[in-house]
Amino acid sequence: MPIIISIIMATIRQAAPILITAIGGMFSEISGVVNIGLEGMMLMGAFSAAVTSYYTGSPLIGILGGMMAGGLTAAIHAVLSIKYKGNQTVSGVAINLFASGFTVFMLRVLFNQSGNTPTVPKAPALFGVSIIVVLIYVIAIWSQFFLYKTTTGLRMRAVGEHPLAADTVGIDVAKIRYFGVIMSGVFAGLGGAYLSIGALSQFTKEMSAGRGFIALAALVFGKWTPKGVLAASLLFGFADAGQTLIQQYVDFIPPQFIQMIPYILTLLALAGVVGKAVAPSASGKPYDKNSN
């Protein structure tokens, strides 16, 4: 029984950064903008949360710093994709590359290190669980209500499915898309903040470790719905928690092979939904009202 409880709690914790980042990706894509840059936004959030927590001594301000950094990074993607109608995939990849290099560069500038920051104040826990984890699951539940029970949520889904029709009835397509993309960065930044000041007490180089891409897989596997994304994130979180537990009890298998489990599950999950999951109709398609 203690092992089962341990696995459940570990699953909840490991799923948290994937869940909130996938929710962010859903906000972006459901409004019509593909966001491949979630990995970079998560990394920027993790770095900024650690730095802000270090210099202010307050992990709560650190959380805000991580969310703001993710949102600002997403704003770059929003401007390139919405205003200048650039290729959304290329923009997202560029953000990932930028975040990877920028965080290492700033580690050298601020701390004269290239691998990690010094120990920083850690976010407080609530009933043994980081307050960031609690916040993440609250946001996940809220997103279900927001997208399906509020006017703004309805407008986001309308813009993602048929922007011309939405524009015809007076909905500002660009404004809705800016909101969706920036919120995706804010949420990804929160996921990054959990990694650096929730799970650990420092930022380490490339600590997002592909979770932004797993979040994209959870988004597709969950069919762009909050409930589906939650279920998919818990599945991937279980795989991550499982590989950690296996390493503790199995010593005859190289740990590198065990660490591959979450990524193999990601591939299998995507292979199982290819052709079945349908993205919002206008996702990835720039909208120009002057050409319609």
Side-chain angles (χ1 to χ4, degrees):
M1 185 62 70
I3 294 180
I4 294 176
I5 295 176
S6 177
I7 292 176
I8 291 174
M9 295 305 296
T11 297
I12 292 173
R13 291 193 299 268
Q14 301 285 22
I18 297 172
L19 170 61
I20 193 62
T21 305
I23 291 291
M26 180 183 64
F27 268 64
S28 181
E29 296 202 14
I30 211 169
S31 64
V33 179
V34 171
N35 192 349
I36 304 295
L38 293 173
E39 177 81 1
M41 295 170 194
M42 178 183 280
L43 195 60
M44 291 292 285
F47 175 77
S48 298
V51 170
T52 306
S53 182
Y54 177 80
Y55 282 107
T56 65
S58 171
L60 296 180
I61 297 178
I63 294 171
L64 294 177
M67 296 172 73
M68 287 180 63
L72 289 172
T73 308
I76 298 173
H77 180 55
V79 170
L80 292 174
S81 301
I82 301 169
K83 182 177 181 178
Y84 294 106
K85 300 174 178 59
N87 186 293
Q88 297 171 13
T89 300
V90 173
S91 174
V93 171
I95 284 174
N96 290 334
L97 295 174
F98 168 77
S100 178
F102 179 79
T103 51
V104 173
F105 171 73
M106 291 306 295
L107 277 174
R108 294 181 183 274
V109 171
L110 297 176
F111 305 106
N112 196 29
Q113 300 183 62
S114 59
N116 55 267
T117 64
T119 301
V120 303
K122 190 175 182 180
L126 187 64
F127 302 112
V129 178
S130 172
I131 192 172
I132 303 178
V133 172
V134 177
L135 178 60
I136 285 172
Y137 282 94
V138 169
I139 291 174
I141 295 171
W142 166 82
S143 67
Q144 175 73 26
F145 170 82
F146 176 81
L147 289 175
Y148 295 97
K149 300 294 183 180
T150 68
T151 301
T152 303
L154 174 62
R155 289 178 176 177
M156 288 180 68
R157 292 188 289 120
V159 166
E161 289 293 340
H162 203 310
L164 178 58
D167 192 9
T168 301
V169 298
I171 297 175
D172 190 329
V173 174
K175 183 177 179 180
I176 292 293
R177 288 188 169 182
Y178 272 113
F179 172 76
V181 176
I182 292 174
M183 288 302 294
S184 74
V186 170
F187 290 157
L190 178 60
Y194 169 71
L195 296 177
S196 61
I197 64 174
L200 298 177
S201 296
Q202 65 177 185
F203 171 84
T204 60
K205 177 183 176 181
E206 304 290 355
M207 75 181 310
S208 51
R211 289 181 179 85
F213 298 111
I214 294 179
L216 286 171
L219 178 60
V220 176
F221 191 55
K223 299 182 178 180
W224 293 270
T225 65
K227 292 180 180 178
V229 166
L230 173 59
S233 299
L234 288 172
L235 176 63
F236 294 132
F238 175 76
D240 201 2
Q243 63 92 7
T244 302
L245 185 65
I246 291 173
Q247 289 185 65
Q248 295 177 3
Y249 293 95
V250 178
D251 56 5
F252 57 85
I253 300 177
Q256 292 82 359
F257 285 96
I258 299 175
Q259 291 167 6
M260 291 167 57
I261 292 176
Y263 305 99
I264 293 174
L265 179 61
T266 300
L267 293 174
L268 294 175
L270 285 178
V273 300
V274 169
K276 299 178 183 178
V278 180
S281 301
S283 183
K285 300 175 183 177
Y287 177 70
D288 186 355
K289 65 185 301 180
N290 297 322
S291 64
N292 292 289

